[in-house]
Amino acid sequence: MFSSDQSCWFVRKVICWRAVASMAWSVLLLLPTTALFVLLSRFSLFHPILWMSECLSLLTSASAIFSFILLCGVVLMVGFFNLEYYTVVPSIACSKIALLGQVLHPRQFVHSLVHCIMGVVVAWCCAFTIGGRYRSLGHPCTQDESSSGPEMCLNEYHLVLLLAGAFIGYSHSLVGVVYNMNYVSFHTMQQYKYLRFKGALPLVVKASAVQALYCLRSFLLLYFFMGYAPRAWICKTLDLSINSSIHSLDSVSSLLDLSLLYHLWISGTFLLLTWYITVLLFRIFVTEVYSFPVQSTFTEDAHQCLPKVITGTQPMILKFLALQDLALLSQHSPSRRLEVFSLSQPGGHPHIWTALSKECLSLLSDLTERLVAHHDTVATNGRAKSQSTGSNKRSTTSSEGSVTSVGMEDMKTPRPSALIRTPGSVFLRSSVGAGLRTPLTTPFTPDLDSPFSSPALRRLTGPLEPQGALSPGFSSIQSPHVMRRGPKLWSASTDSQLNGSPPPSPGPAPSPSQAQLKPSFLVTFLQNRKDQLPEASSQALFADSQVHIWALQGLSHLVAASFSEDQYGIVQTTLPTILSTLLLLQEAVDRHFKLPHTSSKPGHCSCSMGDDSYKTLRFALRSTLKTAVYRITATFGGHLHAVQMSAEHRKRLQHFLEYKE
Amino acid sequence: MMCSLALFPPPLSGYGETSQYDESNTDPAVWFGDSHPLNLYFPGESLKPRSLQECSSKAAFRDHCETLYTRSAGAWRDAGLSGLLNEIANSSAEVPKWLEVSSSCVLALLRWVSSFHGSLFPHLTLSSEDMTAEFSQVLNWSDCAVRSFAWHPHTQKCAVSLLDDSIKIYNPKSANTPTLKHRLQHSVAALQWKPLCASTLAVACHNCLLVWHVDPTSFSTRPSSGCAQVLSHPGHSPVTSMAWSPNGSLLVSASPRDTAMLVWDVAVESCVPLYRVGGGGVTYLSWSPDGSRVLAATPSYLFRVWETRMWTCERWPCLKGRCQSGSWSPDGSRLLFSVQGETVIYALTFTDTPGMPLGMSGGPKAATVVADLSETTLNTPDGDMAVGGEIQSLAWDPTGERLAVLLKGDAEAGRPAMIAVFKTQINPAFKLLPCGFVHGETGTEPRLMQFNPNYKHGAQLTVCWSNGKITHVPFCFMSAGNPQPGLGGSPSPPLSQGRTADYANQTLYTELIS
């Protein structure tokens, strides 16, 4: 599974070791967690001494060691999945259907299946640990009528626990997709790993307890309605009979058994806690600062130096860590800054500074281009929309009809052609690297593997525009509200095939006539689901903006430091370019934030392990950008008047010099 | 050898309308400018303190019969667990006996525990308002017309927070003075402008931090509350102090009730709590101007110095009292602080390179006393005058040449609150020399002071007086280390360099001697 990364020294030497260290720590932490679980699961208020002695004897028994080894295996597996699925650039679904595509992706299917099985394994260990009525799947019983000797009956308590484990494992995987649990974010504040873990631990415990509660609620509902199916199936395959003298568990009264609920909840919490701790440790270890050498005396190490590493794209994590290191060295370490400002020994060229500044500037101007393109599309889009449907503006009705206008806008969207992402890129960090220079929006990922993005589907959704007017109810229900909302809901969609050009993907394309014969439910349904999630497009534009933030910080700190530290004046030569790049970006960001939905802050969901810091990256970028320009103007002051730049930029800079921005 | 107030030149008797600076005698370099455009006056009568108790309106409504469940839910929402228990214990008619008894027991237990906790940390028994007053850098914060004042770090602009919980922003270049009001803006304890930014102002309020974005080009006089970000964290109230990092990226905030210091990333409104055992809260924060360290004082006899690279801290237990105030030298290498109950100024010297974790490099081992401000009597033309006492706050000017010390004074003992000003020198050796006193019109006392970071001709101390006036006391000097670049073109103030020699033999504190 490492095929694409095998070549990179960094993944081999650093990332893998970090992952291994995090797994080792999670296995070590499994010990106290399990002990705590044993204590809590067998808790009895009235027999404290019996309780303690039972727990101790259980913890030292050989069977407990066996189940502990099983748990270790599960934790290692979770750690391996973390390493395999993590990404530093979140995949943001711009519409509900894209989200559905992510959930049904084969890669995600493997993830869900394995987590489901691991959930069963953990639940089995839990059942074994709790003991008593949960101990085994079958128990001997005598059916009163036949009385043909002892039979094996199904122990439904055990079954419920196993099913709950499977359900929680699956929902963990599912929620992980929806809330981007595989996204690894970097922190603004540097802290030691131990302190960071200690700070996050209470939150993780709380999150797992709350999440287990929610999962339990859904599971019980599901079991209440569907519980007979797995029960009958298990009985049939394992040839167990159902003890008719005991009530089955899918009734209200028996499901409200407090002891059962407590055991289910504590097992779910234990399961989620061990997994969350593994995720947390992985995040902490993998985002740890790595200090790259600025220059190397040996040529064979040259590819490990900061100027080389920062320009590469392949393992995304490498680029992120390199830029983080650049941002930190520019702020904190004068000696490494001196190396950046130094000249090459034979020749006297500022190679290091040139490479670093060039990469930072290209990242920033790339973001500028992306923002301008997005803004232009939105602008033309809105205009076209208002012209085409101006006649309908008067009528008012419920906003149910809004989906059509939105859907049609999607069709009209002209986009740059090179933005199609590779299949599976939503999940694969390796291919995310290729997508860095492109908008990362995947409102409708043209994913060849996904059943929802087949050419047939595109044909189905494509010719909707002529049909929209034909179908009853569509033409007359464009409310002004909808019109106003129209442009907002657009996103930088990458589904280029919708816009006239034939689908480049191989495969049988159904004839248009066939598609037009089925206007139908499916199309409407898909169009409904294609309703853009608000502000998702803006989030997607800034999905990788952590890189830009570090580039801005690194550049501005280096430029500010060059005022006193740059002996050869090498920074001065690039100063006009840097300033104009920053000002252009500032302009683009300002324009972007004038769009609707971009300024609204998303609410924080504090009780989940999903990291939603990517949702606010654009605000961080805006603030960092302004600070970066101010840092340069505050350091250089009036000297900036001597810098060559266009009149417009000079005017803009004057605002910064007078503190009027 | 240490400095004491006895070496100070005696203050002159007061005269004139604006603040009298007796500096004229002692520091000949003082420049009397024209009346400053930002000499402000807020008479206390015009400001009505807003009543804090919003729930006091409860009394105006008739009691309405609700079910126990509704009332319990409301009590849980308003006052948490203790409110819920209280509600259950008080409605004996509707709940079963056992529930009532058990909730009373739990309530009693909770009260006992909290009183025990309170006996460990006596400040926890104070009300929020009293707590802010106790730990504020402002003298008599509760009846002060001007509750907080902040100069913009880069441009001539200041924000003033008043007794009526409004904030006004003054800019000499525009006639427009925006007034900031917000629903949550109660009992403002501190204000600070964000560095490397034109428009962002952080406000430490009763139970949250507000971050205002005041567009400097806008003509609006009442920016809407939509311009303010609300940063709140459970258990973090009242906020008594906060500090922006000098590079403008982070904001730390402190509350005496919360043992954690919060480090905010303001743009994304997220915070990282930094917990450490001991102290019982954090009262005062000060970020060193070079950005490498943060002073965090606690209500107990302990303060911490955080290093901001990896956010580790070192503990500094004090013997006599809590740390009341502190001030960093411009290069971040020296910290002067004062301790409640003592009349001396201590200094800590950090020689290690910034950026290294504190434990690994040689920090200071003990604080040294650099000035003694115990009570002395000075002869003035009007008779003897008692000066000295405990220190309310310290302010060090951004060039590192003047140190202002706000002395609490004592009304019964006839010692007025005063500002004593020292001349300081950091390089090559740390020196502290007497400079003079600043006192106001008769009957007024200084409440709050801050140096103007944008004064070109030396240092300018802004003082808020008890009668609601804000005046600016300039100290003109040629900076020894780095001559001010702006001096060449501007009308040069009457500068003279002669008199410093008079006091040169009275060096209060130098490192070389001590």
Side-chain angles (χ1 to χ4, degrees):
Chain A
M1 289 178 94
F2 283 116
S3 55
S4 59
D5 300 327
Q6 197 69 63
S7 56
C8 181
W9 63 274
F10 190 72
V11 171
R12 246 186 359 255
K13 282 191 186 164
V14 182
I15 297 297
C16 280
W17 281 113
R18 287 182 173 189
V20 166
S22 77
M23 282 187 232
W25 276 108
S26 10
V27 167
L28 277 182
L29 281 172
L30 194 59
L31 214 61
T33 323
T34 316
L36 195 68
F37 170 70
V38 169
L39 284 179
L40 285 178
S41 65
R42 302 190 143 218
F43 180 74
S44 69
L45 186 62
F46 302 107
H47 308 284
I49 297 169
L50 187 68
W51 165 51
M52 293 303 281
S53 61
E54 263 187 7
C55 289
L56 274 181
S57 65
L58 178 74
L59 282 173
T60 48
S61 68
S63 49
I65 291 172
F66 171 69
S67 66
F68 183 75
I69 290 171
L70 265 185
L71 286 176
C72 289
V74 168
V75 164
L76 290 179
M77 200 67 194
V78 171
F80 176 73
F81 268 86
N82 286 336
L83 174 64
E84 212 29 54
Y85 279 71
Y86 84 96
T87 169
V88 285
V89 181
S91 64
I92 294 163
C94 284
S95 66
K96 287 172 187 164
I97 198 162
L99 201 58
L100 197 62
Q102 289 184 11
V103 172
L104 296 178
H105 192 278
R107 200 173 144 83
Q108 179 58 30
F109 179 73
V110 173
H111 190 269
S112 301
L113 187 72
V114 173
H115 276 82
C116 209
I117 294 167
M118 290 195 298
V120 174
V121 172
V122 176
W124 184 84
C125 293
C126 289
F128 181 78
T129 316
I130 299 169
R133 56 180 181 178
Y134 302 97
R135 188 150 208 124
S136 60
L137 192 57
H139 64 96
C141 60
T142 48
Q143 300 286 39
D144 35 16
E145 292 137 25
S146 58
S147 68
S148 59
E151 266 185 87
M152 287 305 277
C153 291
L154 177 73
N155 180 7
E156 205 176 347
Y157 289 102
H158 187 85
L159 179 67
V160 165
L161 201 55
L162 293 193
L163 287 177
F167 182 82
I168 293 177
Y170 180 72
S171 70
H172 170 80
S173 165
L174 193 68
V175 166
V177 180
V178 177
Y179 292 111
N180 269 315
M181 194 111 67
N182 58 348
Y183 167 57
V184 174
S185 71
F186 290 81
H187 285 256
T188 334
M189 275 175 67
Q190 303 302 319
Q191 272 183 286
Y192 287 110
K193 292 195 286 280
Y194 164 68
L195 294 172
R196 179 163 289 172
F197 178 76
K198 202 181 79 177
L201 192 61
L203 298 179
V204 169
V205 172
K206 192 179 159 202
S208 51
V210 170
Q211 190 65 34
L213 211 57
Y214 281 118
C215 283
L216 190 61
R217 183 197 59 186
S218 319
F219 171 72
L220 288 179
L221 272 180
L222 197 68
Y223 191 78
F224 179 71
F225 289 113
M226 316 278 280
Y228 62 90
R231 197 171 54 214
W233 181 69
I234 289 277
C235 284
K236 207 168 175 187
T237 46
L238 296 184
D239 198 21
L240 295 171
S241 58
I242 290 175
N243 193 345
S244 51
S245 62
I246 305 173
H247 286 291
S248 66
L249 273 180
D250 55 353
S251 65
V252 176
S253 57
S254 50
L255 277 183
L256 284 182
D257 178 3
L258 269 187
S259 150
L260 175 70
L261 290 183
Y262 174 72
H263 283 131
L264 283 176
W265 175 69
I266 198 103
S267 307
T269 308
F270 172 68
L271 184 154
L272 287 177
L273 183 64
T274 51
W275 293 6
Y276 282 169
I277 284 180
T278 317
V279 173
L280 175 72
L281 282 170
F282 178 77
R283 284 183 190 165
I284 290 174
F285 270 85
V286 92
T287 56
E288 200 194 351
V289 177
Y290 186 87
S291 183
F292 295 90
V294 177
Q295 57 186 349
S296 148
T297 41
F298 304 107
T299 43
E300 58 264 32
D301 291 341
H303 69 287
Q304 299 186 4
C305 290
L306 195 56
K308 277 279 174 301
V309 155
I310 214 165
T311 47
T313 51
Q314 213 15 265
M316 217 43 222
I317 183 85
L318 178 58
K319 194 178 187 77
F320 271 66
L321 286 172
L323 276 157
Q324 185 186 33
D325 189 39
L326 175 71
L328 288 176
L329 89 86
S330 68
Q331 291 177 49
H332 295 296
S333 89
S335 58
R336 295 176 75 201
R337 276 201 301 261
L338 271 187
E339 287 185 64
V340 172
F341 296 139
S342 67
L343 299 179
S344 68
Q345 204 38 278
H349 295 287
H351 286 308
I352 302 174
W353 164 252
T354 314
L356 293 180
S357 61
K358 206 171 164 189
E359 179 60 24
C360 290
L361 287 177
S362 81
L363 278 172
L364 295 178
S365 50
D366 185 67
L367 179 67
T368 312
E369 268 171 37
R370 205 193 288 176
L371 288 176
V372 168
H374 177 251
H375 196 273
D376 287 352
T377 356
V378 171
T380 54
N381 193 29
R383 200 162 52 240
K385 192 65 225 162
S386 60
Q387 281 167 1
S388 66
T389 52
S391 56
N392 290 332
K393 273 191 180 177
R394 298 265 157 68
S395 55
T396 56
T397 128
S398 74
S399 62
E400 275 301 305
S402 67
V403 290
T404 27
S405 70
V406 172
M408 284 152 72
E409 272 165 351
D410 269 349
M411 314 288 119
K412 291 185 175 181
T413 308
R415 301 125 294 110
S417 58
L419 305 185
I420 312 154
R421 301 196 352 164
T422 51
S425 61
V426 183
F427 299 95
L428 264 169
R429 65 177 181 284
S430 51
S431 50
V432 164
L436 176 70
R437 299 282 168 95
T438 65
L440 290 150
T441 47
T442 53
F444 187 83
T445 318
D447 191 339
L448 302 181
D449 295 344
S450 161
F452 280 86
S453 55
S454 66
L457 182 85
R458 286 190 211 106
R459 283 307 164 120
L460 276 180
T461 52
L464 185 86
E465 203 171 348
Q467 286 169 7
L470 296 177
S471 53
F474 275 165
S475 56
S476 61
I477 52 172
Q478 308 286 350
S479 70
H481 173 66
V482 170
M483 299 328 301
R484 211 172 53 243
R485 255 183 55 204
K488 303 175 190 178
L489 295 174
W490 183 86
S491 90
S493 64
T494 51
D495 41 347
S496 61
Q497 287 76 10
L498 291 176
N499 209 26
S501 64
S505 57
S511 67
S513 62
Q514 191 189 349
Q516 280 181 352
L517 286 178
K518 296 188 271 180
S520 84
F521 175 71
L522 180 62
V523 177
T524 329
F525 175 76
L526 289 179
Q527 282 305 325
N528 282 341
R529 296 287 82 91
K530 265 193 89 167
D531 188 357
Q532 298 294 316
L533 302 172
E535 68 166 288
S537 62
S538 183
Q539 282 175 19
L541 271 176
F542 291 95
D544 60 339
S545 278
Q546 189 63 61
V547 171
H548 305 116
I549 290 170
W550 282 326
L552 283 169
Q553 283 176 348
L555 266 187
S556 65
H557 273 115
L558 282 176
V559 169
S562 78
F563 191 68
S564 54
E565 292 177 14
D566 179 13
Q567 297 165 355
Y568 309 108
I570 54 174
V571 174
Q572 282 178 29
T573 54
T574 25
L575 195 54
T577 331
I578 293 174
L579 279 174
S580 66
T581 312
L582 291 187
L583 291 174
L584 277 174
L585 182 59
Q586 167 77 25
E587 201 177 316
V589 168
D590 274 355
R591 274 174 75 198
H592 181 79
F593 271 90
K594 292 209 171 75
L595 295 177
H597 271 306
T598 49
S599 305
S600 58
K601 303 247 174 183
H604 285 282
C605 55
S606 55
C607 262
S608 158
M609 267 303 278
D611 196 332
D612 58 354
S613 62
Y614 63 89
K615 289 184 183 167
T616 46
L617 272 179
R618 59 181 186 276
F619 301 106
L621 180 91
R622 179 173 63 167
S623 136
T624 313
L625 176 59
K626 210 166 241 184
T627 310
V629 180
Y630 270 120
R631 184 170 295 129
I632 295 175
T633 55
T635 314
F636 283 81
H639 299 294
L640 287 180
H641 293 303
V643 175
Q644 293 273 330
M645 66 176 80
S646 70
E648 194 187 335
H649 284 171
R650 192 172 296 284
K651 201 175 148 201
R652 193 84 200 242
L653 206 61
Q654 192 58 37
H655 279 274
F656 275 98
L657 283 168
E658 289 167 2
Y659 290 93
K660 281 188 175 165
E661 267 298 319
Chain B
M1 198 174 93
M2 202 202 310
C3 158
S4 78
L5 284 181
L7 301 171
F8 267 64
L12 292 185
S13 58
Y15 63 92
E17 218 284 311
T18 56
S19 72
Q20 292 95 42
Y21 359 87
D22 304 323
E23 286 289 329
S24 53
N25 209 20
T26 63
D27 189 352
V30 162
W31 173 45
F32 289 84
D34 315 0
S35 78
H36 198 279
L38 290 177
N39 276 339
L40 306 167
Y41 182 39
F42 303 100
E45 304 81 49
S46 67
L47 304 168
K48 280 189 185 156
R50 200 163 79 175
S51 106
L52 185 64
Q53 299 297 323
E54 294 224 324
C55 48
S56 63
S57 59
K58 224 180 206 175
F61 294 92
R62 278 186 60 202
D63 203 16
H64 174 62
C65 282
E66 288 169 320
T67 60
L68 176 69
Y69 178 74
T70 329
R71 273 184 288 134
S72 304
W76 169 261
R77 203 182 53 238
D78 290 344
L81 182 65
S82 61
L84 176 69
L85 291 172
N86 209 358
E87 187 67 49
I88 293 174
N90 285 338
S91 47
S92 52
E94 296 166 71
V95 292
K97 187 75 181 161
W98 61 268
L99 189 60
E100 187 201 334
V101 170
S102 61
S103 63
S104 311
C105 289
V106 175
L107 199 60
L109 191 71
L110 272 183
R111 281 185 187 144
W112 182 76
V113 167
S114 77
S115 73
F116 176 68
H117 194 209
S119 70
L120 275 182
F121 299 111
H123 70 276
L124 293 178
T125 53
L126 294 174
S127 73
S128 297
E129 192 102 343
D130 292 343
M131 203 183 274
T132 312
E134 170 77 22
F135 298 117
S136 169
Q137 295 292 298
V138 184
L139 191 60
N140 294 333
W141 177 84
S142 30
D143 69 335
C144 190
V146 177
R147 290 200 147 170
S148 190
F149 181 92
W151 278 110
H152 192 281
H154 306 293
T155 179
Q156 287 288 350
K157 183 155 77 168
C158 64
V160 186
S161 142
L162 301 173
L163 189 62
D164 61 353
D165 289 333
S166 67
I167 295 173
K168 288 182 191 294
I169 293 172
Y170 293 92
N171 186 347
K173 284 182 195 147
S174 84
N176 190 18
T177 59
T179 307
L180 311 178
K181 287 187 181 177
H182 194 281
R183 192 168 48 87
L184 297 169
Q185 195 167 287
H186 289 302
S187 56
V188 175
L191 292 174
Q192 200 180 2
W193 292 91
K194 178 179 174 178
L196 296 177
C197 186
S199 57
T200 307
L201 175 72
V203 183
C205 301
H206 177 240
N207 51 10
C208 65
L209 278 168
L210 286 176
V211 180
W212 285 94
H213 298 271
V214 191
D215 186 0
T217 53
S218 150
F219 291 103
S220 153
T221 51
R222 273 294 302 272
S224 77
S225 43
C227 300
Q229 284 174 276
V230 181
L231 308 176
S232 63
H233 189 77
H236 198 71
S237 100
V239 185
T240 54
S241 185
M242 74 193 160
W244 283 99
S245 73
N247 63 17
S249 57
L250 298 171
L251 175 72
V252 290
S253 72
S255 162
R257 285 223 178 95
D258 192 356
T259 50
M261 174 173 100
L262 300 186
V263 184
W264 291 92
D265 189 348
V266 172
V268 303
E269 299 184 5
S270 70
C271 73
V272 177
L274 293 174
Y275 292 96
R276 286 296 181 277
V277 178
V282 184
T283 56
Y284 174 70
L285 293 169
S286 170
W287 207 307
S288 73
D290 69 334
S292 60
R293 288 186 187 83
V294 180
L295 163 74
T298 70
S300 16
Y301 298 177
L302 169 77
F303 68 92
R304 295 191 180 88
V305 179
W306 292 84
E307 126 328 288
T308 58
R309 175 83 172 77
M310 297 303 280
W311 291 97
T312 53
C313 68
E314 54 183 34
R315 286 162 60 99
W316 283 93
C318 318
L319 295 176
K320 299 273 176 53
R322 66 180 170 84
C323 173
Q324 163 67 27
S325 180
S327 190
W328 291 91
S329 67
D331 60 352
S333 67
R334 268 193 187 73
L335 169 67
L336 299 185
F337 67 94
S338 67
V339 168
Q340 199 189 35
E342 282 192 281
T343 56
V344 293
I345 301 176
Y346 291 96
L348 282 177
T349 312
F350 297 90
T351 49
D352 54 336
T353 51
M356 288 289 285
L358 281 181
M360 299 184 186
S361 53
K365 298 288 176 287
T368 45
V369 177
V370 293
D372 181 7
L373 302 176
S374 54
E375 189 184 335
T376 49
T377 310
L378 295 174
N379 288 314
T380 66
D382 296 352
D384 287 355
M385 187 176 181
V387 292
E390 276 190 45
I391 296 159
Q392 176 71 25
S393 68
L394 296 167
W396 208 336
D397 98 286
T399 58
E401 304 255 347
R402 292 289 182 279
L403 173 75
V405 181
L406 177 53
L407 298 167
K408 268 181 190 167
D410 189 351
E412 281 97 53
R415 272 184 288 132
M418 281 201 136
I419 295 174
V421 182
F422 294 89
K423 290 178 194 168
T424 54
Q425 184 190 336
I426 298 170
N427 288 319
F430 181 58
K431 274 189 188 175
L432 211 56
L433 299 148
C435 183
F437 292 100
V438 176
H439 72 81
E441 298 168 39
T442 33
T444 63
E445 55 181 22
R447 288 291 170 84
L448 162 63
M449 59 179 189
Q450 193 180 28
F451 275 103
N452 180 357
N454 297 297
Y455 191 65
K456 292 286 184 291
H457 316 294
Q460 188 186 41
L461 182 68
T462 300
V463 186
C464 305
W465 302 93
S466 56
N467 59 356
K469 284 189 179 171
I470 297 177
T471 56
H472 309 276
V473 187
F475 303 86
C476 291
F477 51 84
M478 288 292 278
S479 189
N482 44 337
Q484 298 286 322
L487 271 182
S490 60
S492 113
L495 288 167
S496 72
Q497 293 280 308
R499 290 285 295 274
T500 33
D502 294 354
Y503 293 101
N505 55 350
Q506 293 183 3
T507 302
L508 306 177
Y509 172 82
T510 74
E511 274 185 338
L512 299 175
I513 299 170
S514 65

